[in-house]
Amino acid sequence: MKNPLTVKINDHLTYIGVNDRYTHLFEGMWPLPDGVSYNSYLLDGGDEVCLLDCVKIPSIDEFLSNIRAVLGDRDLDYVVVNHMEPDHTSSLPVLVERFPNIKIIGNKKTKEFLNNYYDLTENIIVVKDGEEVKIGNTSLTFYTTPMVHWPESMVAYEKSEGILFSQDAFGGYGTLDGPIFDDEINFDFYKDEIIRYYTNIVGKYSVQVVRALDKLKDLDIKMICPDHGMVWRKNPSVIVDLYAKLSKQETENGVLLVYGSMYGHTEKMAEMIARSMADEGISNIRIRNISEYPLSNLIAEAWRYRGIILGCPTYNVGLFPPMHHLVWDLGKQKMKNHTFGYFSSYSWGGGAEKEFAAFAEKSKWEILETKPNVKGALKEEDIEDCIQLGKEMAAALKEHYPEEYK
Ligand code: FEO
């Protein structure tokens, strides 16, 4: 039966992925307002057929139907497991059951994960970095890309057509709503979701991303087929350049100012600091209330802007809990190229300022000198401190982006 949900990429390759509009939180944490796609590809080498990556188990029926639509009565000879995270492998045991002769291609670490997750120990072909495996009249060469996004992660390269199967790398959130190719899709429609995906999922492994990009730089890549998001058949350099920029952590002129506030005093401090920066000529300022704005988006914005200012009241002798979560995550991100300021408030003993100070010390960021810390409501000297913090951030930005202030 005809299945228009499978999309021919070329004579030997078909897209057979699925969309997920049911999962609200990716990895149980990251909101998916526009859903996500789990991409999978069927490579037909004539005598032999190979599947590249699978999908998340709830979509198994659609996935098997897609496979059958392309395969007909033929058997499936190989499945490549470029990445073991269950959004790409939880359907693998069913696949193995349906195609008992199938051979699983992975590396040494993949083999351990296959055993740990699914008790799969048979019919596994272990490939080394740079090894080529024949698939009928074509072949795939495998390159390990550890920690992009897990230790076993690898990519597959089909050299006759210059196709890179890049697993999580070069992917993004967002379902493929009809169009699947970069030349069918308005990139601006997806760009923010690609950045949010990168910063939420892969960002902390940016050093490894740089390493992977360097390792793959001599391949003649004409097309990129990732495990999430659009297939890059026309301008793969767009996504490679975006990943290169993100992985090098090139920040923009601007400030993310995040505050938490229980009764409005800390919010007033945030507004005053922002107004002070504006008085000094800073335009790109985003104020976010941490109780109202998703952590996932805050992380993406923190990656984007050079300036980060955080402020909150003391709560249980420490940071306001939502701020604690953000600070914890930013600490794990290993972000570079930021100028950081903080402010706090308290009613009796304090404590938030100490935790901000500890975070600042570990961060290796440029730290601004004035750290307003208000007891109760703002007094005259507190207002002066807020204005001063704004001035210091403005001065730092002017120093880092002199061309923009001529
Ligand atoms: Fe799409 Fe790291 O899994």
Side-chain angles (χ1 to χ4, degrees), residues 178-310:
I180 72 158
F181 298 109
D182 60 329
D183 51 295
E184 298 180 310
I185 291 172
N186 180 357
F187 178 51
D188 291 338
F189 210 67
Y190 279 87
K191 190 175 176 189
D192 286 350
E193 283 299 84
I194 291 173
I195 292 172
R196 196 166 64 85
Y197 168 83
Y198 179 91
T199 57
N200 291 179
I201 308 295
V202 193
K204 63 180 78 61
Y205 305 115
S206 283
V207 171
Q208 290 86 346
V209 173
V210 171
R211 225 172 266 155
L213 288 170
D214 192 53
K215 186 173 190 172
L216 305 175
K217 73 178 187 305
D218 293 329
L219 296 181
D220 181 16
I221 297 171
K222 295 193 175 78
M223 192 187 300
I224 295 179
C225 296
D227 277 0
H228 301 288
M230 68 184 91
V231 174
W232 296 84
R233 71 176 173 188
K234 187 159 188 226
N235 287 313
S237 62
V238 171
I239 191 70
V240 173
D241 290 350
L242 179 62
Y243 261 64
K245 181 177 180 269
L246 290 166
S247 62
K248 284 181 204 145
Q249 307 196 35
E250 291 169 10
T251 45
E252 289 174 29
N253 180 14
V255 182
L256 170 68
L257 198 167
V258 186
Y259 73 91
S261 189
M262 290 186 278
Y263 297 105
H265 297 104
T266 326
E267 182 178 36
K268 198 177 273 181
M269 295 172 80
E271 300 277 12
M272 286 180 180
I273 294 163
R275 188 58 234 167
S276 166
M277 291 190 285
D279 283 340
E280 296 295 317
I282 306 301
S283 307
N284 303 331
I285 303 166
R286 288 273 188 214
I287 301 184
R288 303 295 190 195
N289 178 349
I290 198 161
S291 302
E292 300 291 333
Y293 203 72
L295 178 74
S296 166
N297 297 66
L298 289 175
I299 290 169
E301 289 180 350
W303 269 77
R304 179 171 179 182
Y305 295 117
R306 169 88 208 184
I308 298 176
I309 300 179
L310 305 179

Side-chain angles (χ1 to χ4, degrees), residues 26-27 37-38 83-88 148-150 153 167-168 197 201-202 227-228:
F26 194 76
E27 295 184 341
S37 71
Y38 309 116
H83 178 27
M84 271 300 301
E85 193 165 3
D87 53 334
H88 309 293
V148 186
H149 154 227
W150 277 17
S153 291
Q167 45 98 26
D168 272 359
Y197 168 83
I201 308 295
V202 193
D227 277 0
H228 301 288

